[in-house]
């Protein structure tokens, strides 16, 4: 009589190896699936964000979530209002230790302004100036965001982006910032605006200003673009 010989030990080993392989495959698939889902979620949410410079010199890498607000506030930090040129230059020299000041001449005299900032950032800078006994005052600007008005929304986003770029270039450690991505973003988002909107003319002025920026914005152009933003905010605030 012939007997069939079964290798029980070998069969157990094969089952054990198969089990380990199956578990490892499932764990690997779970990790890959999680990574892919994060990437897809991240990319799908970019359309709901706006440009904001932090510590990056590349606009495309500096995007922050858009907050739901009824208005957007900016503050110009003024070193003084003068009528004599020597006082103007003296104020600029003092403020140049903290940024790239610019001047605006009006009926009352010439304003020396350190920069225009978001409300939070301005308050931090004012604190530093006060600690160093540097004279300063606030110029308040506010953009009211009308619900379902794409024009005012895009204006606020573009000014916010441009202001943050100028703030970043004003830092001593920043040589320049590339503006190509901002220009492309501006072109794409202004398409959705109705040309009958109240502030459509102002939006076109902002668009023209952004398109006229050099592809790499350096410190030598900061004052010029600050003046434009100052005058634009004055229009929007009826000042």
């Amino acid at each position: 009589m012939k007997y069939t010989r079964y290798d029980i030990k070998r069969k157990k080993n094969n089952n054990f190896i198969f089990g380990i392989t199956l578990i490892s495959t499932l764990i690997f698939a779970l990790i890959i699936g999680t990574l892919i889902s994060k990437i897809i979620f991240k990319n799908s949410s970019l359309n709901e964000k706006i440009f904001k410079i932090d510590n990056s010199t590349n606009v495309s890498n500096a995007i922050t979530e858009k907050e739901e607000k009824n208005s957007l506030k900016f503050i110009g930090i003024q070193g003084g209002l003068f009528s004599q040129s020597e006082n103007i230059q003296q104020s600029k020299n003092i403020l140049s230790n903290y940024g790239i000041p610019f001047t605006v001449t009006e009926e009352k005299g010439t304003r020396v302004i350190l920069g225009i900032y978001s409300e939070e950032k301005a308050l931090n800078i004012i604190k530093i100036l006060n600690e160093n006994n540097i004279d300063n005052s606030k110029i308040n600007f506010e953009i009211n965001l009308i619900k379902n008005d794409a024009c005012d929304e895009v204006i606020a986003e573009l000014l916010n982006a441009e202001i943050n770029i100028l703030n970043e270039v004003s830092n001593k450690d920043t040589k320049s910032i590339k503006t190509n991505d901002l220009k492309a973003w501006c072109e794409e988002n202004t398409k959705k605006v109705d040309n009958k909107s109240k502030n459509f003319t102002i939006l076109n002025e902002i668009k023209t200003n952004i398109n006229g920026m050099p592809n790499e914005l350096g410190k030598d152009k900061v004052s010029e673009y600050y003046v434009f933003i100052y005058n634009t905010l004055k229009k929007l605030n009826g000042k």
Side-chain angles (χ1 to χ4, degrees):
M1 180 181 293
K2 293 183 178 180
Y3 295 90
T4 302
R5 184 169 178 263
Y6 293 93
D7 191 345
I8 301 299
K9 185 176 181 181
R10 182 177 179 182
K11 185 174 181 180
K12 287 181 178 179
N13 287 338
N14 288 340
N15 288 340
F16 177 76
I17 293 171
F18 175 78
I20 292 297
T21 303
L22 179 61
I23 292 171
S24 299
T25 302
L26 290 174
I27 292 173
F28 180 76
L30 179 62
I31 294 172
I32 294 299
T34 301
L35 290 174
I36 292 175
S37 66
K38 286 183 178 180
I39 293 172
I40 292 174
F41 176 79
K42 181 178 179 180
N43 289 337
S44 65
S45 64
L46 286 180
N47 291 331
E48 299 177 358
K49 298 181 178 181
I50 62 173
F51 288 103
K52 183 177 180 181
I53 298 297
D54 185 9
N55 291 318
S56 172
T57 55
N58 190 322
V59 175
S60 63
N61 295 331
I63 301 174
T64 187
E65 292 186 6
K66 179 183 173 183
E67 298 179 10
E68 292 297 328
K69 294 182 178 180
N70 295 322
S71 64
L72 193 60
K73 296 179 180 180
F74 298 105
I75 294 176
I77 301 178
Q78 179 174 285
L81 178 62
F82 309 101
S83 58
Q84 296 183 351
S85 58
E86 57 267 25
N87 293 333
I88 294 170
Q89 191 57 49
Q90 183 180 9
S91 181
K92 286 183 68 176
N93 291 341
I94 293 172
L95 292 178
S96 63
N97 294 313
Y98 304 91
I100 302 177
F102 65 99
T103 59
V104 179
T105 301
E106 299 173 335
E107 290 183 7
K108 295 180 180 180
T110 298
R111 298 183 187 274
V112 179
I113 304 171
L114 174 60
I116 300 172
Y117 310 90
S118 66
E119 186 176 28
E120 181 181 359
K121 187 166 186 177
L123 294 177
N124 290 333
I125 295 174
I126 289 171
K127 181 181 178 182
I128 294 173
L129 294 176
N130 289 339
E131 289 173 350
N132 288 277
N133 298 316
I134 307 299
D135 290 337
N136 67 88
S137 59
K138 295 190 295 184
I139 305 174
N140 296 303
F141 299 104
E142 185 172 1
I143 301 176
N144 293 316
L145 302 176
I146 301 173
K147 190 175 181 180
N148 299 323
D149 189 331
C151 184
D152 283 355
E153 183 179 347
V154 173
I155 284 174
E157 292 175 355
L158 290 176
L159 288 177
N160 189 51
E162 194 169 350
I163 285 171
N164 281 292
I165 286 175
L166 296 177
N167 292 170
E168 181 64 21
V169 178
S170 297
N171 290 337
K172 291 182 179 180
D173 296 333
T174 304
K175 292 183 178 179
S176 62
I177 286 181
K178 295 180 180 179
T179 62
N180 291 335
D181 290 327
L182 175 59
K183 292 177 183 179
W185 186 88
C186 172
E187 185 65 32
E188 180 64 28
N189 282 271
T190 50
K191 291 178 181 178
K192 63 183 180 181
V193 178
D194 186 352
N195 59 14
K196 295 180 181 179
S197 297
K198 176 185 175 182
N199 292 319
F200 185 75
T201 301
I202 293 178
L203 176 62
N204 270 339
E205 291 173 357
I206 296 171
K207 181 179 177 180
T208 300
N209 177 259
I210 289 176
N211 288 335
M213 281 183 162
N215 291 334
E216 195 158 340
L217 181 66
K219 296 183 184 297
D220 59 320
K221 292 288 185 179
V222 169
S223 296
E224 174 186 336
Y225 288 101
Y226 263 140
V227 171
F228 170 81
I229 288 178
Y230 174 84
N231 289 327
T232 301
L233 288 172
K234 280 187 66 177
K235 289 180 186 178
L236 290 168
N237 283 258
K239 294 184 178 181

